[in-house]
Amino acid sequence: MNKYTSGLPEEDILPTLRALYSSHGFIRYRMSKFEEYGLYSGNRDFLGGGDIITFSDFGGRLMALRPDVTLSIAKGVRECDLPAAVYYCENVYRRAKGTRDVKELLQTGLEYIGRTDDNITSQVIYLAYKSLAALSECFVLDISHMGFISAVFSECGIDEGLSRELLSCIGEKNSHRLYGLCSENGLSDTVRDRLMTLISVSGHAPEVFGKIKHLCAGEASAAAYNELVSVYGKLEKLSASENIRIDFSVINDMSYYNGVIFDGFIKGIPHRVLSGGSYGSLLKKLGKNADAIGFAVQLGEYGEYAKERREYDFDLFIAYTESTPDGEIAKAVLDAESKGLTYRTGHESECNVRCREIIRLK
Amino acid sequence: MNTDTGYINIALPKGRLGEKAYALLKKAGLSCPELESESRKLIFTDDGSKVRYFWVKPSDVPVYVERGAADIGIAGKDILLENSSDVYELLDLGIGKCKMAVAAPSGFIDDSSRTLRVATKFPAIASGYYSHMGRNIDIVKLHGSIEIAPLLGLSDVIVDIVETGTTLRENGLCVFGDIVPISARLIANKSSYKFRHERIDALCERLKTDLR
């Protein structure tokens, strides 16, 4: 059993997640590997920056190898087809950090596009929770709220430029830099303490809710707070709250993400394996009158760290010579199959794999 | 109750900064006598403190932490800014203090009608600084002895770390603008933090108390 998982072998993860999403009303969405570059160039901030691999097609259009799936789905969905509840399993293409290499990464996830409410939001987060549980017993799903953070900034009278810097500090849990920014910009001690709460407070939701309620100084922050409390309450009723924490260091671009956002981590894997959130603002930028929420699971990331280190490649190497009768080879093969053993056949001198046992046929 | 009984892995930068950082961590309860002995080993373990230290090249500390080989590490702010590492920056240790600055030969006058040639080991920091000013620059990436670049006509100015300013003065350069203060920071892998935050937070509180 893989020490990172709940017992599911790596090759069963994808079918399990597909079954999970389809059983909860999501339909498989298939797409091309390529998109017109214009879709990404106009929404670089949504992609979090990074290089995009481009090429010209035979018609002269500048195309891109898809670095993201959500943008393609958001662009492709028609308002007459809403609500759209789709899941996908696709490769995305990104530049490996610090190198010139291009990585092909397997990603699965789902998107709900249409009118959303606390029930829809909690259903999507529930499926994110179940996705992590399928990958490992030791996981954490951190939930934050971009609407709450931006409302706190706004209600403290902080402008857009300073908001971006403060958001970066919160994302890094960089309290000393946040303290410095408050001082440099003449923010009052009261405002500074309110902002510091967003860094210092994290943990189990009921405890955090009590500690952040005082930050609700206006309608917008109160509405976001109430949404968080309501969504968590619904997750509790679904028995999907044990591994959930509230942590405002989960951040994203305020111009695209306007509501609940979340990141999933698995013990032993150094990067987040799941990320998602409400991105209604992206839909509006694409000219669509709809809300949206979804998440992506980085199966490539999971697979790299979850691979078992095996002592051998096959159970048996069935070694034969030119004089070995065909019947002996067939007998050995059938015997291995009947015992459920993996095997390779060949001349012993050509055995270049690790096997638990070599069977030498005369 | 803290149930984290595993070893905490800490990446220390080789050199003076790492030794100062270890002294702070030792005072905070994470001593490792093996590390204090004269040895060419790079990995040290202490079963009592449940800690594993390793010496790494200073510029590699964020890599070890970001990729999870270390739970926490000590890295200069210059390296964090240059590499945009995806880590938590939990504490300013207040050691290794210096600054990133623009320096040039004494008497240098910037001609804004020309592209400014900037020699530096920190191209991302230099680009970010000048893009904020809307200044067009040509980055000359070097790996050492940056101070001689403008003296040999390779660049107009340099962007480099300045501590006392002695090296600049001895090479006929002076500071023309401060970019950002630099010091050593305690950084943490985000995933490690999620599962070990009680222990890491306790260490931060202890360090903050000792630093006051």
Side-chain angles (χ1 to χ4, degrees):
Chain A
M1 183 177 85
N2 188 304
K3 66 174 179 175
Y4 295 119
T5 73
S6 56
L8 281 176
E10 193 185 338
E11 58 268 22
D12 289 346
I13 296 291
L14 205 48
T16 300
L17 294 181
R18 281 190 198 142
L20 174 68
Y21 304 151
S22 59
S23 67
H24 282 79
F26 287 77
I27 298 170
R28 179 89 185 256
Y29 188 98
R30 292 181 194 271
M31 62 198 78
S32 168
K33 281 186 172 33
F34 319 121
E35 274 284 0
E36 288 207 41
Y37 175 66
L39 173 65
Y40 304 118
S41 67
N43 295 287
R44 292 298 286 254
D45 289 341
F46 182 80
L47 300 172
D51 293 324
I52 299 170
I53 299 128
T54 58
F55 62 95
S56 291
D57 71 4
F58 294 111
R61 288 183 306 169
L62 187 61
M63 304 295 287
L65 273 179
R66 186 183 53 230
D68 169 83
V69 174
T70 302
L71 263 176
S72 299
I73 294 175
K75 183 201 84 167
V77 75
R78 299 182 305 171
E79 284 194 53
C80 59
D81 293 330
L82 298 181
V86 298
Y87 77 91
Y88 59 86
C89 180
E90 300 286 346
N91 286 323
V92 295
Y93 303 88
R94 295 186 187 147
R95 183 173 166 180
K97 189 177 178 181
T99 76
R100 294 173 191 263
D101 298 337
V102 173
K103 283 175 87 166
E104 185 178 33
L105 303 165
L106 181 59
Q107 194 176 85
T108 188
L110 54 84
E111 314 290 348
Y112 185 98
I113 300 176
R115 186 195 64 81
T116 62
D117 57 24
D118 294 353
N119 289 312
I120 300 291
T121 300
S122 59
Q123 188 200 16
V124 167
I125 297 176
Y126 174 70
L127 290 172
Y129 188 97
K130 297 285 279 183
S131 300
L132 291 169
L135 298 176
S136 176
E137 294 168 343
C138 288
F139 70 91
V140 161
L141 182 60
D142 276 356
I143 299 179
S144 175
H145 199 301
M146 288 308 302
F148 183 75
I149 296 173
S150 55
V152 169
F153 286 167
S154 173
E155 288 157 9
C156 287
I158 292 166
D159 65 44
E160 196 181 319
L162 182 56
S163 291
R164 270 196 293 275
E165 289 195 78
L166 291 170
L167 187 65
S168 175
C169 292
I170 293 167
E172 294 170 2
K173 291 192 182 288
N174 193 336
S175 54
H176 49 275
R177 177 63 186 140
L178 186 142
Y179 201 100
L181 280 171
C182 290
S183 175
E184 287 162 26
N185 288 275
L187 299 182
S188 69
D189 290 356
T190 306
V191 167
R192 181 201 65 210
D193 291 345
R194 291 167 69 78
L195 297 174
M196 289 288 262
T197 304
L198 293 172
I199 292 181
S200 62
V201 169
S202 66
H204 287 295
E207 293 164 22
V208 170
F209 291 149
K211 292 177 184 174
I212 62 170
K213 193 164 185 194
H214 72 283
L215 297 180
C216 300
E219 277 184 31
S221 53
Y225 173 86
N226 290 336
E227 183 183 6
L228 264 179
V229 171
S230 169
V231 165
Y232 179 77
K234 293 179 194 304
L235 289 166
E236 259 191 320
K237 290 188 170 64
L238 290 166
S239 301
S241 61
E242 190 183 329
N243 296 52
I244 282 180
R245 299 171 75 241
I246 304 294
D247 191 330
F248 294 107
S249 72
V250 177
I251 59 167
N252 218 316
D253 193 303
M254 282 191 275
S255 54
Y256 291 104
Y257 289 86
N258 54 327
V260 174
I261 57 173
F262 44 93
D263 280 350
F265 296 85
I266 286 175
K267 191 171 185 179
I269 298 181
H271 310 293
R272 65 182 181 187
V273 296
L274 182 149
S275 63
S278 299
Y279 56 95
S281 302
L282 171 68
L283 271 290
K284 288 172 181 54
K285 276 187 187 244
L286 294 175
K288 300 193 181 176
N289 184 22
D291 288 322
I293 181 169
F295 64 84
V297 182
Q298 308 297 341
L299 289 176
E301 193 73 52
Y302 170 80
E304 281 305 308
Y305 288 92
K307 281 192 175 99
E308 288 181 60
R309 287 186 174 80
R310 297 181 299 182
E311 286 179 45
Y312 48 83
D313 301 308
F314 302 100
D315 294 312
L316 304 176
F317 187 88
I318 300 171
Y320 60 83
T321 66
E322 278 77 19
S323 57
T324 305
D326 289 344
E328 288 296 310
I329 300 172
K331 189 175 160 203
V333 164
L334 291 171
D335 187 51
E337 285 180 356
S338 69
K339 290 174 183 168
L341 298 174
T342 58
Y343 67 90
R344 183 180 278 196
T345 61
H347 289 246
E348 188 171 355
S349 60
E350 292 170 354
C351 177
N352 59 359
V353 293
R354 297 169 302 168
C355 293
R356 187 164 48 83
E357 185 183 350
I358 297 179
I359 306 230
R360 297 177 178 89
L361 303 177
K362 293 201 175 121
Chain B
M1 185 177 75
N2 187 357
T3 56
D4 181 0
T5 56
Y7 284 74
I8 195 154
N9 295 305
I10 305 178
L12 289 174
K14 276 195 212 172
R16 227 171 11 156
L17 183 65
E19 288 161 15
K20 282 185 183 175
Y22 170 70
L24 290 175
L25 291 162
K26 178 182 174 182
K27 196 175 171 195
L30 292 181
S31 67
C32 183
E34 192 190 6
L35 185 149
E36 297 169 45
S37 63
E38 291 287 325
S39 168
R40 301 196 70 162
K41 279 178 65 175
L42 296 171
I43 302 178
F44 306 87
T45 303
D46 188 85
D47 297 329
S49 305
K50 292 274 190 198
V51 66
R52 189 175 296 116
Y53 286 105
F54 25 99
W55 293 116
V56 304
K57 188 173 174 181
S59 55
D60 290 341
V61 168
V63 178
Y64 279 81
V65 174
E66 191 175 0
R67 286 183 171 254
D71 297 303
I72 60 176
I74 310 296
K77 184 64 178 175
D78 52 320
I79 294 165
L80 298 176
L81 287 172
E82 184 63 23
N83 296 315
S84 300
S85 308
D86 187 23
V87 294
Y88 285 140
E89 188 181 316
L90 298 177
L91 195 56
D92 182 350
L93 295 175
I95 57 173
K97 283 186 176 181
C98 51
K99 64 182 177 184
M100 190 71 65
V102 179
S106 306
F108 168 75
I109 296 172
D110 186 12
D111 178 0
S112 58
S113 68
R114 291 176 60 245
T115 297
L116 185 71
R117 294 172 303 155
V118 180
T120 184
K121 283 194 300 194
F122 306 96
I125 293 175
S127 294
Y129 174 71
Y130 281 103
S131 78
H132 267 116
M133 297 164 63
R135 184 79 168 84
N136 197 27
I137 63 169
D138 175 21
I139 296 273
V140 180
K141 172 91 163 60
L142 297 174
H143 296 91
S145 298
I146 316 293
E147 297 84 2
I148 63 171
L151 305 177
L152 298 177
L154 184 61
S155 73
D156 301 307
V157 302
I158 67 171
V159 165
D160 202 9
I161 290 176
V162 178
E163 202 170 346
T164 61
T166 304
T167 311
L168 289 181
R169 277 194 300 277
E170 289 185 358
N171 286 280
L173 304 178
C174 55
V175 172
F176 276 80
D178 291 353
I179 297 177
V180 65
I182 303 291
S183 56
R185 309 297 164 98
L186 177 74
I187 60 173
N189 175 272
K190 287 186 173 180
S191 182
S192 292
Y193 184 87
K194 303 298 172 186
F195 298 98
R196 317 193 75 178
H197 60 91
E198 286 176 355
R199 194 159 174 207
I200 294 175
D201 284 343
L203 172 64
C204 284
E205 285 308 310
R206 184 65 198 270
L207 285 167
K208 276 184 205 170
T209 305
D210 293 340
L211 286 170
R212 279 195 203 115

